[in-house]
Amino acid sequence: MSYPDLLGLEKLDAVDSWEERYESSLMGVFGTPQELLVAGRGCWVTDSRGNELLDMLGGIAVNALGHNHPALTGALAEQLKTLGHISNLFTSVPQMRLAELLLNAADAPEGSSVFFANSGSEANEAALKAVLRHRKDTGKYRILALEGGFHGRTAGALSLTHKPAFREPFGPLIEGIDFLPPDDLSALETALDEDVAGIFLEPIQGEAGVRPLSAEYLLRARQLASQHGALLVLDEVQTGIGRTGDWFRHQGVSRELAESGADGVVRPDLMTLAKGLGSGVPIGALVAFGQQASGLLGAGQHGSTFGGNPLAALAGQVTLETIASEGLLENAQRVGARLAAGLGELEAIAEVRQYGLHVGVDLDPAAFAAEAPAKELVGIAREQQQLIINATGEHTLRLAPPLILSEQEADLFLTRIGAAVRHLQEA
């Protein structure tokens, strides 16, 4: 038997039966995928039928530089020729360079440090272990998180994730975690006391439909955490690395507070990152602000075999350098505003929440006969208008396109999504 026969490689071109092949070989935790994609360039992907689709989801806020960006592919190819993986028994220049870039972008104080993981869930696991260490050292027992929050599906991160459908099959999870209603100042002020070791917040709840916490709420959380010796953990897995038009959402919040004349800034003790960090190459990070937070996890108390290896770290380095050199923070702000303005002109849209290229869109239930129009619109947009979008609920869409999205592509999207909406209204 030949080498290709042994691996079954002769079957790989038979894309017509991909659904059957998928269901017979992959675990069904994602259900059957919407489509088989075979190529990508810029903000566009090609499916197995040859359709060119405008990717307005970006791998769920991951592909910051789009698909097949020459700066990324060229650098990774060269890195593979030299050093691909070395474990964390050793270090590499890309690992140190990326850590330095992140600390600089975060304006982190002296003594700050970075731990590299492989994903957002793993970054949140590391943050949770740091909080658990603080809990053990101080005797503070409770940990706070928010209803509607999503921090991952690993056991620890799942303990911080509120949605019952995710939690109930696996309980009991980590004890001592209390969930608060989001953006409820009164509930926050009642709950965050001397017995709290840490509070986990997403500045914008992406899975809940791109729903932000107010600047006032985030600032009060910072103040109360400092007052009571709790750790403020900001999960910027989805909002970090330029998604909202700032390197990190808490920086935008601090700027808004300053513009309003408020006294104080929102700086976390711990911040978790992933998604856009590697622009498609798996990598996550925990950033500890200051010497005290950096010292929570000592040698041997946490680790990762793959985390921050030269290949992934270089992907992160190139991502940050390209965002800066190509002006993609400004692009996210400008093109995102154009998207929001255009979406707001559609009659069937009830509300648009836009932060850079992180956009939530609520459909007007009264404008549709369908019970779950957002989910139906995802299919219509893909099949009839060659758009990739995402629904986070029955009436809510989420857009998180690559940060390189042009104004022309935004206009094309608006034309096509308008046609898809009208089609669903008339169905």
Side-chain angles (χ1 to χ4, degrees):
M1 183 175 288
S2 69
Y3 178 68
D5 289 339
L6 281 171
L7 294 178
L9 295 180
E10 79 286 355
K11 300 178 181 177
L12 292 182
D13 290 331
V15 297
D16 290 342
S17 61
W18 70 265
E19 292 101 331
E20 179 181 344
R21 290 175 57 195
Y22 182 94
E23 291 173 355
S24 64
S25 60
L26 283 109
M27 192 174 292
V29 295
F30 300 108
T32 301
Q34 299 174 28
E35 187 53 86
L36 171 64
L37 301 181
V38 296
R41 181 173 293 277
C43 294
W44 295 82
V45 294
T46 305
D47 70 18
S48 60
R49 297 173 290 175
N51 297 314
E52 300 283 338
L53 298 99
L54 181 57
D55 183 2
M56 295 296 289
L57 185 58
I60 311 183
V62 166
N63 296 311
L65 304 183
H67 301 271
N68 202 13
H69 194 290
L72 189 63
T73 56
L76 293 181
E78 290 302 313
Q79 185 64 43
L80 270 174
K81 294 177 183 175
T82 57
L83 204 59
H85 177 75
I86 54 175
S87 87
N88 280 300
L89 295 174
F90 307 92
T91 190
S92 67
V93 171
Q95 184 183 66
M96 293 184 289
R97 179 60 177 155
L98 178 57
E100 292 165 351
L101 287 172
L102 284 173
L103 294 176
N104 185 63
D107 194 23
E110 186 175 352
S112 301
S113 61
V114 179
F115 167 80
F116 287 117
N118 304 296
S119 68
S121 288
E122 288 188 29
N124 280 323
E125 289 284 340
L128 179 58
K129 283 186 68 174
V131 172
L132 291 174
R133 173 67 192 275
H134 184 57
R135 179 163 85 170
K136 185 174 180 61
D137 289 348
T138 62
K140 299 173 182 290
Y141 183 71
R142 297 165 58 228
I143 298 170
L144 304 180
L146 296 189
E147 298 171 3
F150 181 87
H151 300 282
R153 297 175 191 265
T154 53
L158 185 60
S159 300
L160 300 162
T161 296
H162 178 258
K163 191 172 183 177
F166 293 161
R167 298 169 56 86
E168 287 174 356
F170 308 103
L173 299 169
I174 293 177
E175 297 180 346
I177 297 175
D178 296 332
F179 292 98
L180 310 179
D183 222 26
D184 186 329
L185 268 176
S186 176
L188 175 71
E189 291 175 339
T190 300
L192 212 171
D193 59 18
E194 293 291 332
D195 192 36
V196 173
I199 178 169
F200 284 74
L201 302 174
E202 296 168 283
I204 300 174
Q205 294 186 326
E207 295 299 318
V210 190
R211 299 189 181 279
L213 300 180
S214 67
E216 181 185 17
Y217 184 91
L218 287 164
L219 178 60
R220 190 64 180 135
R222 173 66 279 174
Q223 293 169 340
L224 288 170
S226 297
Q227 178 183 340
H228 295 297
L231 297 169
L232 174 63
V233 185
L234 293 185
D235 179 339
E236 295 236 28
V237 166
Q238 194 159 154
T239 54
I241 317 298
R243 173 55 52 192
T244 63
D246 291 284
W247 281 116
F248 312 104
R249 174 56 187 162
H250 72 269
Q251 294 174 330
V253 169
S254 294
R255 186 182 62 255
E256 292 167 13
L257 287 166
E259 291 171 351
S260 70
D263 186 17
V265 299
V266 178
R267 174 182 283 171
D269 299 297
L270 300 167
M271 174 174 68
T272 56
L273 303 168
K275 290 198 178 290
L277 179 55
S279 200
V281 176
I283 184 170
L286 169 65
V287 180
F289 287 72
Q291 192 71 49
Q292 183 177 359
S294 290
L296 287 167
L297 296 175
Q301 294 183 339
H302 199 55
S304 170
T305 297
F306 296 99
N309 80 12
L311 198 65
L314 184 66
Q317 175 187 329
V318 171
T319 298
L320 267 67
E321 290 174 343
T322 305
I323 288 173
S325 65
E326 295 190 359
L328 297 183
L329 298 182
E330 296 79 6
N331 191 67
Q333 294 172 0
R334 182 177 63 255
V335 180
R338 194 177 184 115
L339 280 175
L343 287 164
E345 293 178 357
L346 298 179
E347 291 183 1
I349 304 298
E351 184 180 13
V352 179
R353 297 176 291 279
Q354 176 258 327
Y355 306 87
L357 284 171
H358 198 38
V359 184
V361 183
D362 285 349
L363 302 177
D364 181 359
F368 301 92
E371 292 185 0
K375 295 181 178 178
E376 293 200 28
L377 195 59
V378 169
I380 293 171
R382 187 183 70 255
E383 290 292 334
Q384 299 185 7
Q385 299 297 328
Q386 286 74 57
L387 299 175
I388 293 179
I389 57 176
N390 173 243
T392 62
E394 293 183 348
H395 301 95
T396 303
L397 301 172
R398 172 176 51 183
L399 307 176
L403 303 182
I404 61 171
L405 187 76
S406 69
E407 292 179 317
Q408 293 75 21
E409 288 168 329
D411 290 345
L412 178 62
F413 165 77
L414 291 169
T415 298
R416 293 187 177 184
I417 195 66
V421 168
R422 288 191 294 275
H423 179 89
L424 182 58
Q425 286 183 289
E426 295 166 0

